[in-house]
Amino acid sequence: MGTFEEHEVARRRFDVADAAPLLLDAAGVVTSWSAGAQRLLAYPAAEAVGRPLADLVTEEDAGRVPRLVEQWGRDGGWAGLLSVRRADGRPVRVMVRIAAAEEARGPSRWLALLSEMAGAPGWDMQRTVLEQMVDRSPIGIAIVDTDLRYVWSNAALAQFGGGPPVRRLGLRLADIQPGLDSAAIEAQMRHVLATGEPVIGYEHVGSVRSAPHRETAHVLSFTRLDDERGHPMGVYYTVVDITAHHRARQRLALLDRAGEYIGRSLDIVRTAQELADVAVPALADLVVVDLLESVLRGAEPASGPLDGTDPVRLRRAGRTSHQEGDEGAAHTDAHTDARSTADALGIGAPAVYPPGSPQIRCLATGRSWREERLDPLAREWGAGTPGSQGATSWDLAPHSAMVVPVRARGVTLGVTTFFRRHRQEPFDEDDLSLAEDLVSRAAVCVDNARRYTRERDAALALQRNLLPHRLPDQDAVEVAACYRPANELTGLGGDWYDLIPLSGARVALVVGEVPGHGIDAAAAMGRLRTAVRTLAALDLPPHEVLAHLDDLVGRTAQEESAAPEGGAEDDDDSTQAVGSGCLYVVHDPVDGRCSMAAAGHPAPAVVRPDGTITFVELPQGPPLGAGGPPFESVEMILPEGSTLALYTDGLLACGEEWSEDANRERLRKALARSAPSLDLRCRAVVDTLAPARPRDDVALLMARTRRLDADRVASWELPADPAVVADARKTAGRRLSDWGLDELAFITELVVSELVTNAIRHASGPIRLRLIKDRTLICEVFDSGATAPHLRHPRTTDEGGRGLLLVSQFTQRWGTRFLPEGKVIWAEQSLTDAPL
């Protein structure tokens, strides 16, 4: 059966305590059988000794045995798995290790150790094999005792610094790696010792001795080691360097943050500041963004990099620094007050760099620049990098820097400079690549903001030229207006208002809106306003004004939709006018008569002198150019002191509720509030109903009606008899004398004579003469004729035809307006200009 000494040698060699030994001869025949083998396979020694090993294994492994016998005889041993057959026929999977039991000149004897694999994790390794595995592993491995002092470590742990394994024995982690947060790591070890629960995947960032000026990241796993009685002996842990993965993850996180925070507004300075805020402290300790002055104005910079021959005018657009002990204190959120931010960081101040500085070179070449170690005595960083205003000694002592040009769509917009001072690790190529990605993303946002600024400034200039600078002076109404643009691409839209003086001291009040926003909407609004003013000069009723305007919009849109490619259809301001709304109101201060019509526009509100607020029951016509039923006018008499509120639908759309009744009730409450003046009341209504940045444009025109005093209007009914012309002249002259306008008597009598004579000659029925003393002297003659008079240019031999020509020459303006019962020929004389 063999000696126990041989068995113990094999146990010590293989470090296996529960293996069943047996002896084989050189041919693989069993020569000795142990009690362990009998317990494992259930064969008594008498049945097992003398049988070849092939008889004891299963059929599928029996064919392998001759080859294995030859192999262990050649190699001096063998180890592997075999399936043996118990005495009851049940197969058992065992680990077999073959080693020479004695070395002799004659046939060799072999010791076979059999270990059952049921419930075993796998191959039980020899100690030497295990030592090779841990010593040659690229993963750092160490064991500390219960006092957290090193008792063993492998060679791979030396890659992190601290010397070979023998130098670590008896030391603590803080003694070996002072750049790490040893307290946090040892806290994990104590937790494992106390609970027995392993800690897997604990990440730690710090500086190891092998790279003291570089931030590295590691993942550690801790497992408690117990003795045979279950008492803790220490902690076994592994260390893996994941710096590359950590930096890649930081880079992606920074780029994600940049995508979230940069470009949240269309403000150039705020976008530049957002770039600086995002990069500090994740990438740099100080970041300054300097943009060309032309970019800040929204102008178009020169295409391509600057040639360096012309002087470069830069201004500080963003700046963020990371102060020691004040994590992120200098960061500026996009929603903080812009003025305080600019004051604190010197935003807008000139950024002056000397010729040949990295910033100027980057502007000229369009390529980035990086310096790992700066010369602390270099003066080129002192003038422009932090700005000539507010420079500090901290700003002048960076140790590493990068300059990246701000370029978008092939255009250089400025430069961004990155500095490090607190972090000892210098900028490397990965940092420069990350900075270029950040600046590239921000550059597109800056250029979008620049384009927005340019378009908004153009639209503002256009709107200033299209909307009335001031409403004209007149006595028919007291007016106030307020316009608030939406917060859209340009901040402007197509809402508009106007007040147009008409004949007979009347005025037209107009409010309209064009769909959309921006320059196209503003241009379409300008065309509509011009068309309304032209139609108003014809003295047409409101519904006819809207009918002509509707025809104009529809016809123009049809013509442009049929335009050839690249023709007029590229100018879509008229097609954009389709669907516009308009409210046209005419107020007569002589009798308080008010007529109005609407095209796809809300009806006005009326605040009567007693405070009662109503909304006019106004038939709604279709939007302009949309087609539909004809427009209808409504006429009413308003008491003096009534206030008309004409508004665009953006004023009602600002509420949370979209029902017409609820929004009208909000407007009613806002109109009911008193104010010292009509102008303040108008602004208070808009402030109450519309936020600072409404969803849609808001326009409100408020007009408080007036009446002309009775003694300022004189009217006479005249028969259609040529004999009354002389009486009409005398009557008009007496009224002018009563008004103290004797200096206008001659021209007025001439006008009365010509207009009355013209009415008697070309019309039938009664004639009415009216004089109105307003800001001008108005002379009107009413008749029942339907034919409009026109100027003639008589020859010298003609006896007549000079009446209207004289009227046009001696008066400020004249014209004709039609009524349902006839027409009115009128003429106005200035009360301020001296008569001819």
Side-chain angles (χ1 to χ4, degrees):
M1 178 178 168
T3 64
F4 285 101
E5 289 77 7
E6 293 172 339
H7 185 194
E8 290 300 318
V9 168
R11 285 188 58 187
R12 285 194 300 270
R13 180 172 181 181
F14 288 95
D15 197 22
V16 177
D18 56 350
L22 61 134
L23 292 178
L24 302 173
D25 62 13
V29 176
V30 176
T31 60
S32 177
W33 194 253
S34 66
Q38 184 172 344
R39 285 193 303 272
L40 178 64
L41 300 180
Y43 290 106
E47 294 183 12
V49 174
R51 297 179 63 176
L53 180 62
D55 291 347
L56 300 178
V57 301
T58 58
E59 293 182 3
E60 57 268 23
D61 282 346
R64 297 173 55 201
V65 171
R67 179 169 52 82
L68 294 177
V69 170
E70 180 182 352
Q71 180 178 345
W72 73 56
R74 182 180 63 253
D75 298 339
W78 177 80
L81 296 176
L82 289 175
S83 293
V84 297
R85 188 177 61 251
R86 287 172 52 91
D88 56 8
R90 180 170 63 88
V92 177
R93 194 73 168 167
V94 296
M95 169 62 70
V96 180
R97 295 184 177 87
I98 305 294
E102 68 177 23
E103 297 293 338
R105 293 181 178 274
S108 301
R109 289 198 301 169
W110 303 91
L111 174 65
L113 297 175
L114 281 65
S115 302
E116 186 175 4
M117 297 301 295
W123 185 7
D124 294 329
M125 297 293 179
Q126 301 178 22
R127 179 171 179 173
T128 55
V129 175
L130 293 174
E131 288 177 351
Q132 292 178 39
M133 290 173 58
V134 295
D135 283 343
R136 297 176 184 177
S137 171
I139 300 174
I141 304 174
I143 299 176
V144 297
D145 60 16
T146 54
D147 293 329
L148 306 185
R149 296 185 179 277
Y150 284 94
V151 296
W152 180 87
S153 62
N154 68 346
L157 200 63
Q159 65 182 302
F160 304 108
V166 65
R167 191 180 298 176
R168 294 191 185 90
L169 295 178
L171 300 178
R172 297 274 292 271
L173 180 62
D175 302 326
I176 298 174
Q177 298 289 358
L180 297 180
D181 185 359
S182 57
I185 298 176
E186 289 187 346
Q188 299 295 322
M189 297 180 183
R190 291 191 179 92
H191 173 76
V192 171
L193 282 173
T195 64
E197 300 174 356
V199 173
I200 308 298
Y202 173 74
E203 293 190 16
H204 182 78
V205 178
S207 299
V208 295
R209 278 191 167 178
S210 59
H213 302 303
R214 177 172 171 265
E215 187 178 75
T216 55
H218 311 88
V219 61
L220 299 91
S221 297
F222 306 90
T223 305
R224 192 175 75 179
L225 298 177
D226 300 333
D227 60 16
E228 63 274 5
R229 291 171 296 177
H231 296 160
M233 301 169 50
V235 175
Y236 160 88
Y237 75 88
T238 60
V239 184
V240 178
D241 189 339
I242 60 167
T243 301
H245 173 73
H246 175 72
R247 289 172 65 90
R249 189 170 57 190
Q250 281 186 319
R251 176 187 179 117
L252 291 177
L254 185 56
L255 292 177
D256 287 343
R257 177 176 169 82
E260 180 181 356
Y261 285 95
I262 298 178
R264 289 180 290 178
S265 70
L266 287 173
D267 181 271
I268 298 177
V269 173
R270 179 170 292 180
T271 302
Q273 185 61 46
E274 288 167 350
L275 167 61
D277 291 342
V278 166
V280 175
L283 179 60
D285 297 319
L286 170 66
V287 174
V288 291
V289 183
D290 302 312
L291 299 178
L292 297 172
E293 283 188 348
S294 58
V295 172
L296 293 173
R297 295 194 308 268
E300 191 75 31
S303 178
L306 303 177
D307 57 12
T309 58
D310 297 329
V312 179
R313 300 177 64 88
L314 293 169
R315 287 195 177 272
R316 181 60 32 82
R319 180 185 186 277
T320 301
S321 63
H322 175 55
Q323 301 294 342
E324 252 180 314
D326 187 14
E327 294 280 343
H331 282 203
T332 309
D333 191 81
H335 299 291
T336 57
D337 182 77
R339 179 171 298 179
S340 62
T341 301
D343 293 341
L345 304 181
I347 302 301
V352 181
Y353 296 96
S357 63
Q359 286 83 356
I360 300 302
R361 293 202 302 270
C362 287
L363 285 171
T365 63
R367 294 191 296 270
S368 302
W369 174 91
R370 175 177 65 92
E371 184 64 47
E372 292 187 5
R373 297 294 176 187
L374 294 175
D375 181 359
L377 300 180
R379 301 297 301 173
E380 62 183 4
W381 301 105
T385 299
S388 56
Q389 310 226 348
T392 65
S393 59
W394 187 95
D395 296 327
L396 304 180
H399 67 78
S400 186
M402 300 184 297
V403 182
V404 178
V406 181
R407 288 177 51 78
R409 303 177 178 95
V411 175
T412 302
L413 308 175
V415 290
T416 302
T417 310
F418 301 80
F419 295 98
R420 277 185 181 169
R421 178 177 183 250
H422 300 311
R423 193 186 310 185
Q424 296 182 356
E425 180 182 357
F427 289 121
D428 57 19
E429 286 295 335
D430 290 340
D431 294 324
L432 181 61
S433 175
L434 176 58
E436 290 175 338
D437 284 347
L438 285 176
V439 175
S440 176
R441 296 187 180 204
V444 175
C445 297
V446 168
D447 194 49
N448 289 339
R450 178 192 63 80
R451 292 166 180 256
Y452 156 77
T453 300
R454 181 184 60 187
E455 182 170 345
R456 183 176 187 276
D457 290 345
L460 280 171
L462 178 62
Q463 187 206 38
R464 283 193 295 267
N465 291 325
L466 294 177
L467 287 179
H469 297 277
R470 58 182 295 272
L471 298 176
D473 296 330
Q474 39 71 46
D475 291 335
V477 290
E478 177 190 357
V479 291
C482 184
Y483 174 78
R484 181 160 294 170
N487 184 30
E488 294 290 339
L489 176 63
T490 65
L492 295 173
D495 288 17
W496 55 284
Y497 58 88
D498 207 349
L499 184 147
I500 308 170
L502 303 177
S503 64
R506 300 169 305 133
V507 292
L509 304 169
V510 192
V511 168
E513 55 186 319
V514 174
H517 304 272
I519 290 181
D520 290 338
M525 174 267 286
R527 293 182 64 170
L528 277 184
R529 178 171 176 260
T530 301
V532 169
R533 280 187 158 264
T534 303
L535 292 171
L538 300 177
D539 265 330
L540 300 173
H543 65 279
E544 292 191 25
V545 171
L546 294 183
H548 285 290
L549 195 62
D550 178 70
D551 290 340
L552 174 64
V553 171
R555 185 171 59 254
T556 306
Q558 186 177 8
E559 292 173 354
E560 291 182 352
S561 63
E565 188 74 21
E569 65 176 352
D570 295 333
D571 300 325
D572 60 349
D573 51 344
S574 287
T575 56
Q576 186 161 352
V578 174
S580 300
C582 184
L583 175 63
Y584 190 87
V585 180
V586 175
H587 172 65
D588 190 342
V590 175
D591 56 9
R593 194 177 303 274
C594 187
S595 60
M596 62 189 71
H601 199 89
V606 178
V607 184
R608 298 187 180 271
D610 61 359
T612 304
I613 301 174
T614 59
F615 290 88
V616 179
E617 295 296 331
L618 182 62
Q620 277 294 317
L624 298 176
F631 301 100
E632 297 181 46
S633 292
V634 168
E635 190 171 88
M636 65 186 68
I637 303 296
L638 292 179
E640 183 176 10
S642 299
T643 301
L644 280 166
L646 290 70
Y647 53 90
T648 57
D649 57 8
L651 186 67
L652 299 184
C654 295
E656 296 297 329
E657 300 183 58
W658 287 88
S659 68
E660 182 178 1
D661 292 340
N663 290 331
R664 279 190 170 186
E665 186 59 31
R666 294 174 58 248
L667 177 57
R668 190 192 310 272
K669 292 180 179 178
L671 290 172
R673 299 174 183 173
S674 61
S677 66
L678 186 63
D679 185 69
L680 293 177
R681 189 176 188 182
C682 182
R683 293 188 178 276
V685 171
V686 175
D687 290 339
T688 301
L689 298 182
R693 294 176 177 176
R695 290 189 292 263
D696 195 8
D697 305 306
V698 173
L700 175 63
L701 178 65
M702 298 185 71
R704 182 178 293 137
T705 62
R706 294 169 176 161
R707 289 282 188 93
L708 294 182
D709 296 336
D711 61 356
R712 295 173 60 184
V713 180
S715 180
W716 302 274
E717 296 290 338
L718 304 176
D721 184 353
V724 304
V725 174
D727 293 336
R729 286 199 304 267
K730 294 176 182 178
T731 303
R734 287 194 296 268
R735 180 48 62 99
L736 291 184
S737 180
D738 295 339
W739 285 342
L741 301 176
D742 293 314
E743 69 276 9
L744 298 179
F746 174 76
I747 295 177
T748 304
E749 291 176 4
L750 174 63
V751 170
V752 169
S753 177
E754 294 297 333
L755 295 185
V756 171
T757 301
N758 189 73
I760 294 173
R761 182 177 300 172
H762 298 287
S764 61
I767 298 171
R768 182 159 58 97
L769 171 64
R770 186 169 72 171
L771 295 180
I772 301 174
K773 180 188 176 186
D774 190 32
R775 293 176 179 264
T776 60
L777 178 63
I778 303 169
C779 177
E780 297 180 331
V781 175
F782 297 76
D783 63 55
S784 58
T787 303
H790 59 277
L791 285 176
R792 294 173 57 189
H793 297 279
R795 293 169 295 182
T796 57
T797 58
D798 291 342
E799 296 181 358
R802 296 178 177 85
L804 289 181
L805 181 60
L806 292 175
V807 170
S808 67
Q809 294 294 322
F810 289 116
T811 60
Q812 184 175 345
R813 61 183 189 136
W814 76 280
T816 304
R817 70 174 182 270
F818 290 91
L819 303 174
E821 63 274 13
K823 68 177 182 298
V824 179
I825 304 176
W826 55 268
E828 292 184 4
Q829 300 177 67
S830 173
L831 296 182
T832 57
D833 298 336
L836 297 177

